[in-house]
Amino acid sequence: MTNPVDLVEIWRGDMVECVHRGHVVVCDDAGQIVSALGDPDKVIYPRSSCKMVQALPLLESGAGAHLSVEQLALACASHNGAAIHTDRVGAWLRDLGMTDDNFRCGPQLPDDIPTRNALIRANEKPCQFHNNCSGKHAGFLTLNKHLGAGPDYQEPDHPVQQACKAAFEEVTQETSPMFGIDGCSAPNHACTVHGLARAMAFFASAQDRSDRRSAAAVKLTHAMGAHPALVAGETRACTDLMRAMNGKVAVKTGAEGVFIAIIPEKRLGVAIKIVDGATRASECAIATILVKLGVLDPAHPAAIARMQPPIVNRRGIVTGSIRPAAALR
Amino acid sequence: MTNPVDLVEIWRGDMVECVHRGHVVVCDDAGQIVSALGDPDKVIYPRSSCKMVQALPLLESGAGAHLSVEQLALACASHNGAAIHTDRVGAWLRDLGMTDDNFRCGPQLPDDIPTRNALIRANEKPCQFHNNCSGKHAGFLTLNKHLGAGPDYQEPDHPVQQACKAAFEEVTQETSPMFGIDGCSAPNHACTVHGLARAMAFFASAQDRSDRRSAAAVKLTHAMGAHPALVAGETRACTDLMRAMNGKVAVKTGAEGVFIAIIPEKRLGVAIKIVDGATRASECAIATILVKLGVLDPAHPAAIARMQPPIVNRRGIVTGSIRPAAALR
């Protein structure tokens, strides 16, 4: 076991005020580690970073054959709950002949400020379709309709989740030692940082293979890159970074400091876990690694905004910055 | 230099998902370390945890002799911007013959949800009196009126800030090596974790001395304990914990994972810094330490809610918990 490594520093004035440690693995299409920091064998919950893995059974089963590219992007999304997301999820529910009550993800106040404020002004409570995972759950409902199984599709022993677990274990090439219940109530299976990077390398190299699962992986990776705003939303790291790379690389955040990247042109998968769970650090780390791998222009505003963003106080004064630590530079 | 120590764990299911490290010092009235974890000599920014130190010149100078106990509590506060705070800060400004424009803290959307939602519904922008530091700044304005100095009382070389720096260096018994600019634009002087705990032990033992500064320290500590809701607000850790201890211990949070305690009955000062800056960890750590020191009942709901709070998802399912790590237990 290797200790985690200092990855990101928070500066204020001339002093480092905080440090974030973590584990990083860059993996090739043979499942081998190309580079790593910290402990590749550290077992983590991938959280929402593995939504594209959870969407594989939707396509492999044939249940999602009719879905649009936009819908596939939403199935992989942790979205802001803005109208561009909720309008499409609402239409998807109607296509299924279902309503918000069929969801099992729970309601969430949208992160999109105009939408949130509109709900507050109207004295309305958020619905389940506002939940950042509602696209993933629409995918679950679509698969479940195809399978004809019971309504509690989020239960760990339900055929939908059993299919997700099987896909997860196969692309990580690991037997998951346990699962936790996610914010959206679906099981989230644990794997090593190496296993998560291996899964992303499977996606990154899927165009080289002709099997059903690889074809599904190609479609999902393409959908994320084609619709970056549907995967997260305006001002969000996933959206900004995918746009900056012209959709040629898919990136996805996960709660508690996880971030992944799928780089088809290099057949590489990347997985990051920040030990303390800080998103400000996982965003800085993924941007820095994408620059180092030569797929993100360090001069692009989206790269600068994530790699070395200023910390600005309530009078607009720059008081410090977030910076990659020496191991990442 | 000693490494920081694992202080708090974030559990999900049967696995630790995240870990927060930090430094802790408990200091007696002779300035000696009673117990410590991590590196007592680690230099940190105390941030808002040292507001009672920044309020010392207000009383020592005589400028604040007429202030109420409530006003002294507000001078030490990082408040929610609720009406109980802003009404009193507004009245204080009027007493000074000043307006919101005299503040230099900048506007901040209140953390108090009803107040925040009321602003959103009214399409109003927050004012500087909503800033969580507006009580401290009202204290600065009061001192500045007494001194007759220029309007930019937040500048590091201004007499108000020079007085704060002198008091800070004297109660920490350290020469501050540098300062950063805080979220409210005032300078925040760095010290060691030991120095911060030493300052809090100065406050905790002030009743044993008869000098002017000690008298000021007694008044400020008493004010915080007497008005816990003014120091933070409903649902906040500082307020809940001080209420749970019947106001006999003063506690104060600071941004980026700082927490202090002043324990007059034991003449002890406590200082905590979480390396990654997480508030969920500093709150768990301070509650655990207060229980260990015998001043907080571990069965009190406020103690349970900070030491081992459940993590609840969007459907109300308990998915994990925050827990003190072995070194703290």
Side-chain angles (χ1 to χ4, degrees), chain A:
Chain A
M1 205 192 88
T2 320
N3 284 328
V5 169
D6 288 358
L7 294 179
V8 175
E9 297 168 347
I10 310 298
W11 285 74
R12 181 170 298 266
D14 294 327
M15 190 171 84
V16 175
E17 185 169 21
C18 296
V19 176
H20 299 279
R21 298 182 305 160
H23 310 282
V24 178
V25 173
V26 181
C27 190
D28 68 18
D29 55 351
Q32 299 304 304
I33 294 174
V34 174
S35 64
L37 293 167
D39 182 5
D41 296 325
K42 178 70 184 170
V43 177
I44 65 166
Y45 292 122
R47 307 295 299 273
S48 290
S49 76
C50 72
K51 277 176 173 162
M52 72 297 289
V53 178
Q54 293 173 297
L56 285 172
L58 173 66
L59 290 181
E60 286 185 81
S61 65
H66 63 289
L67 295 176
S68 69
V69 177
E70 289 187 350
Q71 285 172 308
L72 296 182
L74 282 167
C76 303
S78 298
H79 64 69
N80 268 359
I84 59 160
H85 310 109
T86 54
D87 287 352
R88 285 168 176 78
V89 171
W92 191 346
L93 277 177
R94 285 191 295 278
D95 289 347
L96 289 165
M98 295 183 188
T99 71
D100 201 61
D101 292 340
N102 293 100
F103 276 141
R104 295 289 183 273
C105 49
Q108 179 187 2
L109 206 56
D111 283 333
D112 181 69
I113 300 295
T115 309
R116 176 191 289 229
N117 288 355
L119 282 174
I120 291 167
R121 290 192 184 106
N123 274 308
E124 283 176 11
K125 288 197 185 305
C127 298
Q128 297 194 80
F129 62 69
H130 289 109
N131 188 306
N132 79 84
C133 301
S134 68
K136 179 178 79 172
H137 281 248
F140 286 159
L141 283 173
T142 304
L143 175 58
N144 195 29
K145 188 174 183 178
H146 178 82
L147 297 175
D152 289 322
Y153 64 82
Q154 86 290 356
E155 293 292 343
D157 58 356
H158 189 282
V160 165
Q161 299 307 330
Q162 287 294 309
C164 289
K165 183 187 180 192
F168 182 80
E169 292 192 329
E170 287 164 30
V171 296
T172 57
Q173 297 179 38
E174 294 178 359
T175 301
S176 176
M178 75 194 78
F179 66 88
I181 300 299
D182 215 330
C184 70
S185 296
N188 194 258
H189 297 281
C191 66
T192 66
V193 182
H194 184 183
L196 185 58
R198 200 187 277 121
M200 298 310 144
F202 172 87
F203 276 75
S205 58
Q207 74 268 33
D208 300 336
R209 300 180 301 267
S210 56
D211 59 289
R212 198 169 177 87
R213 172 161 295 158
S214 294
V218 168
K219 284 181 94 169
L220 292 164
T221 306
H222 167 257
M224 292 174 71
H227 296 287
L230 293 183
V231 175
E234 296 308 323
T235 76
R236 292 273 302 277
C238 289
T239 300
D240 286 353
L241 292 172
M242 287 195 285
R243 281 178 177 159
M245 297 181 289
N246 299 312
K248 290 180 183 172
V249 173
V251 299
K252 183 73 190 69
T253 191
E256 299 292 353
V258 183
F259 229 114
I260 66 84
I262 298 167
I263 312 176
E265 67 185 88
K266 293 182 183 283
R267 274 66 170 168
L268 293 176
V270 181
I272 297 171
K273 166 68 182 182
I274 303 296
V275 171
D276 59 70
T279 299
R280 65 182 178 185
S282 63
E283 292 180 352
C284 173
I286 194 75
T288 307
I289 289 163
L290 292 168
V291 165
K292 282 186 82 167
L293 291 173
V295 292
L296 175 65
D297 176 1
H300 193 287
I304 295 167
R306 303 296 166 179
M307 281 179 69
Q308 195 147 336
I311 296 173
V312 180
N313 81 359
R314 300 201 168 90
R315 291 179 78 215
I317 298 166
V318 174
T319 57
S321 64
I322 300 176
R323 301 184 200 171
L328 269 190
R329 285 194 298 261

Side-chain angles (χ1 to χ4, degrees), chain B residues 253-309:
Chain B
T253 192
E256 298 293 353
V258 184
F259 230 114
I260 66 83
I262 299 167
I263 312 177
E265 65 185 272
K266 292 182 184 284
R267 274 64 171 170
L268 293 177
V270 181
I272 296 171
K273 167 68 182 182
I274 303 296
V275 171
D276 59 71
T279 299
R280 65 182 178 182
S282 63
E283 292 182 350
C284 173
I286 194 73
T288 306
I289 289 162
L290 292 168
V291 165
K292 283 186 84 168
L293 292 173
V295 294
L296 175 63
D297 176 0
H300 193 288
I304 295 168
R306 302 300 166 179
M307 281 179 69
Q308 194 148 334

Side-chain angles (χ1 to χ4, degrees), chain B residues 44-317:
Chain B
I44 65 167
Y45 292 122
R47 308 296 298 275
S48 289
S49 77
C50 72
K51 277 176 175 163
M52 72 297 291
V53 177
Q54 292 172 297
L56 285 171
L58 173 66
L59 290 181
E60 286 184 81
S61 65
H66 64 289
L67 295 176
S68 68
V69 178
E70 289 187 349
Q71 285 172 308
L72 296 183
L74 282 167
C76 303
S78 299
H79 64 67
N80 269 358
I84 60 161
H85 311 110
T86 54
D87 287 353
R88 285 168 176 79
V89 171
W92 192 345
L93 277 177
R94 286 191 295 278
D95 289 349
L96 288 165
M98 295 185 187
T99 70
D100 201 61
D101 291 340
N102 292 100
F103 276 141
R104 295 291 183 268
C105 49
Q108 179 187 2
L109 204 56
D111 282 333
D112 181 69
I113 300 294
T115 309
R116 173 190 291 226
N117 288 354
L119 282 173
I120 291 167
R121 290 193 185 105
N123 275 308
E124 283 176 11
K125 288 196 185 302
C127 299
Q128 296 194 83
F129 63 70
H130 289 110
N131 188 306
N132 79 84
C133 301
S134 67
K136 178 177 81 174
H137 282 249
F140 286 158
L141 283 172
T142 303
L143 175 58
N144 196 28
K145 188 173 183 178
H146 178 83
L147 297 174
D152 289 322
Y153 63 83
Q154 85 291 356
E155 292 292 342
D157 58 355
H158 189 281
V160 165
Q161 298 308 330
Q162 287 294 308
C164 290
K165 183 186 181 191
F168 181 81
E169 293 191 328
E170 286 163 33
V171 296
T172 58
Q173 298 179 38
E174 294 178 358
T175 301
S176 177
M178 74 192 78
F179 66 88
I181 299 301
D182 216 329
C184 69
S185 296
N188 194 260
H189 297 281
C191 66
T192 66
V193 183
H194 185 183
L196 185 58
R198 198 188 277 119
M200 298 310 144
F202 172 88
F203 276 75
S205 58
Q207 74 266 36
D208 301 335
R209 300 180 301 267
S210 57
D211 59 289
R212 198 173 177 84
R213 172 162 295 160
S214 295
V218 168
K219 284 181 94 167
L220 292 164
T221 306
H222 167 258
M224 292 174 72
H227 296 288
L230 293 182
V231 175
E234 297 307 324
T235 78
R236 291 273 302 278
C238 290
T239 300
D240 287 352
L241 292 172
M242 287 195 283
R243 281 178 176 160
M245 296 181 289
N246 300 310
K248 291 179 180 171
V249 174
V251 299
K252 184 73 192 72
T253 192
E256 298 293 353
V258 184
F259 230 114
I260 66 83
I262 299 167
I263 312 177
E265 65 185 272
K266 292 182 184 284
R267 274 64 171 170
L268 293 177
V270 181
I272 296 171
K273 167 68 182 182
I274 303 296
V275 171
D276 59 71
T279 299
R280 65 182 178 182
S282 63
E283 292 182 350
C284 173
I286 194 73
T288 306
I289 289 162
L290 292 168
V291 165
K292 283 186 84 168
L293 292 173
V295 294
L296 175 63
D297 176 0
H300 193 288
I304 295 168
R306 302 300 166 179
M307 281 179 69
Q308 194 148 334
I311 297 173
V312 180
N313 81 357
R314 301 200 168 91
R315 292 177 78 214
I317 298 166

